[in-house]
Amino acid sequence: RAGRVERSGAVQNRSGQQLQCRESRSVVKKDKMSSRNPMLIKGVRTYGRSKAYSRKQQWKHEKKEGPKKKERTPKTSVLRQRYVPAERVPKRLKSNLTIKKRKTVLKKGIQPGSVLIVLSGRFMGSRVVFLKQLDSGLLLVTGPYKVNGVPIRRINQAYVIATSTTVDISGVKIPEHIDDKYFARVKNAKEGEEGFFSNQEKINPEWLAKRKEDQKAVDTGIVAAIEKVELLDTYLKTKFTLKNGQAPHAMKF
Amino acid sequence: GELACTNRRPVKMPFTRFVEIGRVALINYGPEEGKLCTIIDVVDQNRALVDGPYGITGVHRQVINLRRLSLTDFKVKIGLNARAKSLKKAWAAAGVQEKWAATAWAAKRASRSAKASLTDLGRFKAMLAKKTRAKKVKTAFNKLKKSA
């Protein structure tokens, strides 16, 4: 509430007229006025715009217009605006304004050398060796090719079960050029219908030779590591199957 | 079996495992599932006071419902509400740990839990072992069959 000011009998207003005060009323002494324009109820002030202007004596404090500055649209909240649009236009969240690209978090238990069970696709059921995670978030895996026929391939970790078995691939160096671009589809030279129907069966021999070379470079070290462990090569050769009574959610991998 | 009636000639009961002080039981439900405990006192028809002893089996002294207990063949000589110390002594004297481990019941539990905790590679190796063993059995059998 607005602070009461101590009033004696003689009180004058601005124009010098004497005002009558009720002296009997108990007053609360205050050093300064808390508000010139107190709230009557929430959102409604005692004095309207023009009255408040004259009470504040704003004509004294108004600045003269200087040289024209660059026009800026001031940031006003919806409540302060005089014009509020009928339909609310949703504002973009600050967190969405700058979209950061974060790398997919690897599932717990997937480490370089982990044996993974592939759950879908051409090599469904195969047990493969995880090499590394590519920039796109996909997993780079290999059979190895000589062991189970799975070449260097990309898999999404959603279609994979990570086992607790690992192969020691610390000594294996994966060539730097094997990244997401390496696996891009080879486009047809001919465009349109002709191109669609033509080079379907043909594989570029140069491309194939390069692939074989890369496969060898990756696999030799891994095969050597596999052969050191008993039964690991047979294990990788065998496909994963479920038998009657086996429930994957209750099984330990 | 326990003597069940007041006649001069004792009657043999078909039951051999009773809820009594000193009875060793296996907890079959709840957070303490799979642990052995000893019945120290009986609360009422449904509940008993039970203790591991904590130092040997890991079961604290507590009141437990009899439905959660599976009675074993073993009994330990203790008095009513025996202390943990005297309970441990009695267990050592009766040799409960070794006797329990030697039972088929305990062996089955152990093998089942071992099977459940196998990894994918472990399951694969177990499968291979079964196959080789079956092969050996079959060749020996067929040989005998032929010679007979």
Side-chain angles (χ1 to χ4, degrees):
Chain A
R1 283 188 113 212
R4 282 153 171 262
V5 182
E6 190 189 70
R7 291 184 182 184
S8 54
V11 177
Q12 289 183 338
N13 71 2
R14 241 184 342 126
S15 40
Q17 292 171 343
Q18 273 217 321
L19 301 172
Q20 283 186 348
C21 285
R22 279 183 269 179
E23 287 163 315
S24 56
R25 210 189 257 183
S26 59
V27 291
V28 174
K29 196 173 187 177
K30 268 214 170 181
D31 290 327
K32 51 180 175 178
M33 227 192 262
S34 57
S35 171
R36 281 201 182 81
N37 195 2
M39 288 276 201
L40 287 177
I41 55 163
K42 190 178 173 185
V44 180
R45 294 215 170 246
T46 311
Y47 301 105
R49 294 177 104 221
S50 49
K51 269 268 164 65
Y53 182 93
S54 62
R55 278 169 62 81
K56 268 194 238 176
Q57 300 186 352
Q58 253 178 309
W59 44 270
K60 278 189 190 168
H61 309 297
E62 223 140 59
K63 281 183 197 166
K64 297 252 165 82
E65 221 178 272
K68 204 172 188 184
K69 288 182 192 168
K70 195 169 83 174
E71 252 186 56
R72 279 186 290 154
T73 48
K75 288 181 187 173
T76 50
S77 74
V78 174
L79 292 170
R80 291 250 183 89
Q81 287 170 11
R82 289 290 121 191
Y83 167 71
V84 180
E87 276 177 43
R88 196 175 146 267
V89 178
K91 201 176 170 185
R92 239 211 158 169
L93 285 173
K94 263 189 191 161
S95 60
N96 286 346
L97 287 171
T98 51
I99 300 165
K100 290 179 216 163
K101 281 196 175 169
R102 262 184 257 122
K103 204 171 189 179
T104 319
V105 177
L106 263 186
K107 265 202 271 204
K108 197 168 80 171
I110 302 182
Q111 300 149 29
S114 283
V115 174
L116 311 173
I117 299 170
V118 179
L119 295 175
S120 74
R122 188 173 160 188
F123 301 103
M124 181 161 52
S126 306
R127 293 169 169 122
V128 295
V129 177
F130 169 67
L131 298 173
K132 71 171 193 180
Q133 188 182 26
L134 301 171
D135 285 333
S136 63
L138 299 172
L139 313 180
L140 182 70
V141 297
T142 181
Y145 187 74
K146 284 228 185 248
V147 175
N148 55 19
V150 180
I152 316 171
R153 215 163 197 264
R154 298 187 298 172
I155 303 182
N156 190 315
Q157 65 173 337
Y159 302 105
V160 136
I161 293 178
T163 65
S164 51
T165 321
T166 50
V167 177
D168 184 18
I169 62 164
S170 52
V172 176
K173 194 178 172 293
I174 302 154
E176 289 294 317
H177 64 271
I178 301 179
D179 58 356
D180 286 300
K181 291 203 188 92
Y182 181 80
F183 295 100
R185 273 189 198 276
V186 179
K187 280 193 179 160
N188 271 317
K190 296 176 196 172
E191 293 234 330
E193 257 185 59
E194 219 185 298
F196 181 78
F197 288 113
S198 65
N199 292 324
Q200 285 297 294
E201 299 302 318
K202 279 191 200 165
I203 299 171
N204 186 353
E206 284 173 24
W207 175 89
L208 186 63
K210 185 91 193 2
R211 278 295 183 115
K212 282 186 183 174
E213 191 190 304
D214 292 328
Q215 188 74 47
K216 215 175 184 178
V218 173
D219 281 358
T220 36
I222 300 174
V223 172
I226 288 167
E227 256 145 39
K228 285 186 193 160
V229 184
E230 191 195 344
L231 289 177
L232 193 58
D233 54 342
T234 330
Y235 173 64
L236 289 173
K237 267 199 176 72
T238 319
K239 289 213 172 168
F240 172 78
T241 53
L242 283 175
K243 286 191 225 153
N244 271 337
Q246 286 186 320
H249 73 283
M251 284 158 65
K252 233 181 102 179
F253 286 94
Chain B
E2 291 274 310
L3 299 179
C5 70
T6 51
N7 287 351
R8 258 190 300 142
R9 212 180 279 144
V11 176
K12 196 162 189 221
M13 286 280 267
F15 305 110
T16 53
R17 300 170 182 172
F18 297 96
V19 172
E20 54 197 326
I21 296 165
R23 176 65 56 183
V24 176
L26 179 79
I27 300 177
N28 58 36
Y29 183 87
E32 316 266 24
E33 189 180 343
K35 295 181 185 166
L36 285 178
C37 61
T38 330
I39 296 173
I40 297 171
D41 195 3
V42 176
V43 177
D44 58 16
Q45 198 191 312
N46 298 315
R47 292 175 295 166
L49 180 65
V50 129
D51 197 353
Y54 178 69
I56 301 178
T57 66
V59 177
H60 283 285
R61 185 171 275 228
Q62 59 191 279
V63 172
I64 193 170
N65 195 307
L66 293 177
R67 287 154 135 241
R68 293 196 175 191
L69 296 179
S70 299
L71 305 176
T72 66
D73 288 324
F74 308 115
K75 195 177 157 185
V76 163
K77 206 173 180 186
I78 49 164
L80 179 68
N81 281 322
R83 282 195 301 167
K85 194 173 169 184
S86 37
L87 191 56
K88 272 193 201 173
K89 225 176 171 181
W91 264 59
V96 179
Q97 287 282 83
E98 303 83 49
K99 282 188 185 164
W100 166 251
T103 59
W105 185 357
K108 263 189 277 171
R109 281 188 72 91
S111 75
R112 243 185 263 140
S113 69
K115 204 174 178 185
S117 66
L118 278 179
T119 61
D120 193 47
L121 181 62
R123 259 176 263 124
F124 174 76
K125 285 186 180 171
M127 182 261 288
L128 284 185
K130 267 200 227 169
K131 275 175 108 177
T132 50
R133 187 239 231 162
K135 191 170 187 184
K136 282 185 186 167
V137 168
K138 282 207 179 114
T139 49
F141 176 76
N142 288 328
K143 217 186 238 177
L144 287 172
K145 200 174 172 188
K146 237 185 187 176
S147 63

